Amino acid sequence: MVIRLSERWPEVSSDRLLSECVPPPRFAEARFATYRPNPAEVSQSEALAVLVDRAKILAQPRQTPTLWSKLRGRTPDLGKPGIYLDGAFGVGKTHLLASLWHESAGPKMYCTFVELTNLVGALGLRQAVEALSSYRLICIDEFELDDPGDTMLISRLLAQLVAAGVQLAATSNTLPDKLGEGRFQALDFLREIQALAANFDVRRIDGPDYRHRGLPVAPDPWTDDQVEQTAAERPATSCDHFVDLHRHLAELHPSRYGALLDGVAAVGITDLRPLDDENVALRMVVLADRMYDRDLPLLASGVPLDQLFSAAMLKGGYRKKYLRALSRLIALARTS
C-alpha cells in the first residue's frame, strides 16, 4: 500500500522533541577525521583546526571553575561562549558541527534553528531554560532569524544559557550581525541581534558546494506514471500530488514534519510546480531539511527541481534558504 503523507496527522510531544535533539542519521558517523577540507580553500582547514582544539576542551566534563583553579590557570579557556561557522551551503559546516557534538562530553544537544524555536514554543521559555541550563554544549545548525518574535525569543534563551555556562556552536549562511536582513526590519531589533553576535567567535568557511562539484544543476524529472509505479513497487515509499502535499503541510506545525516521515524510506512527489507563494515555499524548505536529515531519496515529476522557486524568490530575503533547499533536494533526487 502506497504511503500518502497528505493523509498523515502525526502528534509530537515535547519529550520527543527533546530526545530527538541529536545529529540526524546522515551525520551520525560524522567525525573530524572524516572531514575532507578542500585544498584550495584554506579557511576549511583553519576551521577544522579550531574546532578540534575546542572539542579537546569540551570532551572534559563540565566543571564550575573555582577561584584557585582560575589563579593557577587550570580552567580551560574557550574564549567566547560560542563558535559560529559562516559560509555558503555545501562547504561542510554541518559535518564539522556534528563532529564537534560527537566528540564533546554530555549532556549535549544538537538541533536546527527551526527545531530549537519549536522546542521553546512547546516547552515555554522558562521551562526550556531550566531543561537546557545543565547542558555542556548546544549545537544549532542553520541559524536564522525569520521574524522579530524569533529574535526576541532566541536572544533571551541564549543569554540565559550562556550565563549558566552553556557552550554554543552554530552554523549559518549569514553573519550573526546580519541576521534578519531582508526578512524583517532588522534595524528595529539591532540591539538583540548585536547581543547574539557578541556571544560568538565567527569563523568563515569558503568553497563551492561539494554536492555539485562537476555535476549538472538538476536531474531530469520523472513522469507521473514513473513516480506512482515506483512508489507502488518500492517498500515504504510515499507518493503525493504536489498540491495535496503542500496544502497538507499548511495544516501541520513544522515541528511535526519530521514525524510525518516516520517509517518512510523514499519520498515520491508528482506534478511538481513552480512556487510563487512565500509561505508555501518556506514550508517546503522545512520538509526538504527533514528529508535530507533522514537521507530519503526523492522521486519527483513535473518541473525540474531547479525551477521550484521563482526567480524573484531566489533574489529575495530568503534566497539562502531556498538555495540550500535546492542543493539538498537535488542531492536527494540523484540518489533515487
Side-chain angles (χ1 to χ4, degrees):
M1 184 175 179
V2 176
I3 298 170
R4 305 290 182 189
L5 299 181
S6 54
E7 297 176 357
R8 289 184 159 194
W9 297 90
E11 294 294 335
V12 182
S13 68
S14 57
D15 287 342
R16 173 172 173 173
L17 289 175
L18 192 58
S19 68
E20 291 181 342
C21 289
V22 297
R26 175 178 284 269
F27 295 101
E29 303 301 323
R31 299 292 187 275
F32 291 129
T34 60
Y35 180 71
R36 297 289 180 265
N38 186 335
E41 303 293 346
V42 177
S43 61
Q44 294 185 14
S45 297
E46 291 176 344
L48 174 62
V50 168
L51 286 171
V52 167
D53 287 343
R54 199 173 190 89
K56 290 177 181 177
I57 297 175
L58 289 172
Q60 304 171 24
R62 182 178 176 184
Q63 298 176 351
T64 302
T66 63
L67 176 60
W68 179 246
S69 66
K70 289 181 180 179
L71 291 173
R72 298 195 63 178
R74 291 183 179 178
T75 301
D77 183 13
L78 285 166
K80 291 188 176 183
I83 187 163
Y84 189 101
L85 304 179
D86 170 65
F89 44 87
V91 295
K93 302 187 303 296
T94 300
H95 185 126
L96 289 172
L97 187 70
S99 299
L100 178 66
W101 186 91
H102 282 300
E103 301 192 22
S104 298
K108 54 190 176 180
M109 172 179 169
Y110 182 105
C111 60
T112 65
F113 181 80
V114 170
E115 289 169 336
L116 180 62
T117 56
N118 290 339
L119 176 66
V120 179
L123 297 178
L125 179 61
R126 181 175 179 178
Q127 188 177 347
V129 171
E130 292 176 356
L132 302 179
S133 290
S134 63
Y135 280 45
R136 177 77 164 117
L137 171 69
I138 295 179
C139 294
I140 309 168
D141 200 16
E142 301 155 13
F143 201 106
E144 288 285 356
L145 295 179
D146 293 336
D147 60 57
D150 285 348
T151 304
M152 299 293 291
L153 181 70
I154 299 304
S155 176
R156 291 172 182 174
L157 173 70
L158 297 187
Q160 293 184 59
L161 293 180
V162 166
V166 180
Q167 292 293 314
L168 307 172
T171 72
S172 181
N173 301 320
T174 306
L175 290 169
D177 60 350
K178 302 296 183 183
L179 289 165
E181 283 193 354
R183 294 182 283 283
F184 64 91
Q185 294 299 317
L187 289 177
D188 295 340
F189 296 87
L190 188 59
R191 180 178 298 176
E192 299 289 341
I193 294 171
Q194 288 177 336
L196 280 171
N199 291 317
F200 292 102
D201 172 17
V202 179
R203 295 287 168 170
R204 174 75 186 179
I205 303 180
D206 299 306
D209 184 342
Y210 76 91
R211 289 183 288 267
H212 296 167
R213 290 172 190 165
L215 297 174
V217 174
D220 292 334
W222 294 29
T223 66
D224 289 352
D225 288 343
Q226 286 176 318
V227 174
E228 292 170 355
Q229 182 176 348
T230 303
E233 296 173 348
R234 187 181 296 184
T237 298
S238 68
C239 185
D240 293 86
H241 189 279
F242 182 57
V243 175
D244 293 338
L245 180 59
H246 76 64
R247 285 177 178 172
H248 186 58
L249 292 179
E251 298 180 305
L252 295 176
H253 190 277
S255 65
R256 298 162 70 183
Y257 289 9
L260 189 68
L261 299 168
D262 284 353
V264 175
V267 174
I269 304 175
T270 59
D271 196 17
L272 206 65
R273 303 176 183 184
L275 294 174
D276 54 14
D277 184 312
E278 204 94 75
N279 292 319
V280 175
L282 289 172
R283 293 185 196 110
M284 290 303 300
V285 168
V286 177
L287 182 65
D289 287 341
R290 301 292 78 77
M291 289 170 56
Y292 187 76
D293 288 346
R294 291 158 176 77
D295 202 13
L296 301 180
L298 172 63
L299 296 64
S301 64
V303 300
L305 285 166
D306 54 8
Q307 296 178 26
L308 179 60
F309 303 114
S310 69
M313 287 180 174
L314 295 179
K315 295 178 181 177
Y318 296 104
R319 63 189 180 278
K320 291 180 179 179
K321 278 181 174 286
Y322 298 142
L323 290 171
R324 185 189 73 234
L326 287 179
S327 172
R328 292 183 165 186
L329 288 172
I330 289 170
L332 294 176
R334 291 199 182 107
T335 66
S336 63

